[in-house]
Amino acid sequence: MEQLIAKIKHYLSFAGLIVLPAKKQNIIDEFHKLYYDSYLIGGTWTSNKFLGVATQKCPLDLFVYQEILYETKPDLIIEAGTANGGGALYLASICDLMGHGEVLTIDITDLGNLPVHKRISYLFGSSTSEEIIKKVEERIQGKNRVMVILDSDHSKNHVLQELRLYHRYVTSGCYLIVEDTNVNSHPVRPEHGPGPAEALSEFFDENSDFIVDREREKAYLTFNPGGYLRKK
Ligand SMILES: C[S@@+](CC[C@H](N)C(=O)[O-])C[C@H]1O[C@@H](n2cnc3c(N)ncnc32)[C@H](O)[C@@H]1O
């Protein structure tokens, strides 16, 4: 009997079923802080590389990206915020494996030595400037499936401006991913001030075209809580 009870307990705890919701959230948040803040000592996400190129994303999110790309097969992925180009290279490599899709990535600064890949093109300038928006509009011509990733300046005002400008490019069934909704105490970087999460909350007051896809947070740790939006 004791053995049976122990066995049941083991399976329930394995499935996360006997971890109380409040305790569970606490565990997730504490691990999130540990993983995120370890960048201060040069570890975790700031030292991540994809095929040798610095990639400032959470690896668990990258796996989710791969699932989204496979399921939605975008013709064009627009990424605001290139940095070293690791994220763009990752996306382009998945497109290579699928034999479909291109990446258009935008940054206000050219860090140089960016990956050269037939599926990646670069734009330099502010993601919200008129010149960049004009070029983005030229590039989306004829694309039936468009996905957008906002990963540039993470201040609330900038992200809100990006949301207002870029949401219309996302096609039905495709994703708008707002990166780093975790800052400003959600649950990391309390000192950040209003950021992507606050921008999203204001955006939802004015737009109902998107569904927050919480299924994409299945791995518990995500830098984008509430930031995976699917266009209706
Ligand atoms: C978090 S990094 C991007 C990380 C990259 N997506 C990756 O996966 O590795 C943010 C980038 O946004 C850029 N940035 C900041 N303000 C911007 C703006 N107004 N327009 C476009 N890019 C901007 C910064 O220069 C920086 O390279």
Side-chain angles (χ1 to χ4, degrees):
M1 187 63 180
E2 255 175 44
Q3 249 183 338
L4 180 67
I5 292 172
K7 217 171 191 178
I8 292 171
K9 270 193 172 168
H10 170 76
Y11 285 123
L12 286 176
S13 87
F14 193 62
L17 294 176
I18 59 168
V19 180
L20 296 172
K23 191 175 166 204
K24 194 166 164 182
Q25 196 54 51
N26 188 260
I27 293 167
I28 298 165
D29 288 351
E30 289 307 307
F31 181 69
H32 194 144
K33 288 179 202 161
L34 172 70
Y35 183 79
Y36 190 94
D37 292 342
S38 297
Y39 83 91
L40 292 166
I41 50 166
T44 66
W45 61 278
T46 46
S47 62
N48 285 341
K49 288 186 178 158
F50 179 72
L51 300 179
V53 184
T55 308
Q56 297 178 38
K57 283 187 171 46
C58 171
L60 288 172
D61 285 315
L62 288 174
F63 199 83
V64 170
Y65 270 71
Q66 169 272 132
E67 292 186 343
I68 290 175
L69 292 184
Y70 186 78
E71 286 168 34
T72 61
K73 307 242 173 4
D75 302 320
L76 181 67
I77 304 156
I78 303 169
E79 180 193 50
T82 309
N84 300 97
L89 182 62
Y90 176 83
L91 297 165
S93 303
I94 301 293
C95 290
D96 258 354
L97 291 170
M98 300 192 302
H100 185 83
E102 293 165 48
V103 180
L104 174 65
T105 181
I106 306 154
D107 207 294
I108 199 162
T109 313
D110 177 359
L111 288 183
N113 200 25
L114 295 169
V116 175
H117 191 289
K118 63 181 188 302
R119 293 184 190 269
I120 305 179
S121 39
Y122 296 96
L123 287 179
F124 298 107
S126 176
S127 55
T128 53
S129 69
E130 263 178 48
E131 308 89 272
I132 292 292
I133 292 298
K134 197 163 165 261
K135 287 180 184 159
V136 168
E137 291 190 347
E138 283 164 15
R139 280 298 307 276
I140 60 165
Q141 291 309 314
K143 306 290 188 214
N144 295 319
R145 303 190 63 76
V146 179
M147 170 174 168
V148 169
I149 300 160
L150 303 181
D151 190 17
S152 68
D153 170 347
H154 300 312
S155 64
K156 178 192 168 187
N157 287 346
H158 185 76
V159 178
L160 186 56
Q161 234 186 318
E162 282 184 334
L163 282 165
R164 287 175 175 154
L165 288 166
Y166 285 79
H167 79 87
R168 56 203 158 125
Y169 305 138
V170 182
T171 52
S172 175
C174 283
Y175 279 74
L176 168 57
I177 303 175
V178 183
E179 280 275 342
D180 298 276
T181 45
N182 59 348
V183 300
N184 200 33
S185 300
H186 306 294
V188 298
R189 279 208 183 160
E191 75 289 358
H192 184 278
E198 289 70 26
L200 261 179
S201 140
E202 198 160 323
F203 176 69
F204 287 136
D205 289 341
E206 56 194 60
N207 189 297
S208 55
D209 295 344
F210 294 86
I211 291 164
V212 177
D213 189 352
R214 292 280 178 181
E215 293 285 305
R216 304 297 177 182
E217 300 174 32
K218 63 186 176 179
Y220 301 125
L221 174 62
T222 172
F223 284 5
N224 318 322
Y228 287 97
L229 316 186
R230 185 162 34 85
K231 189 139 187 193
K232 291 181 191 166

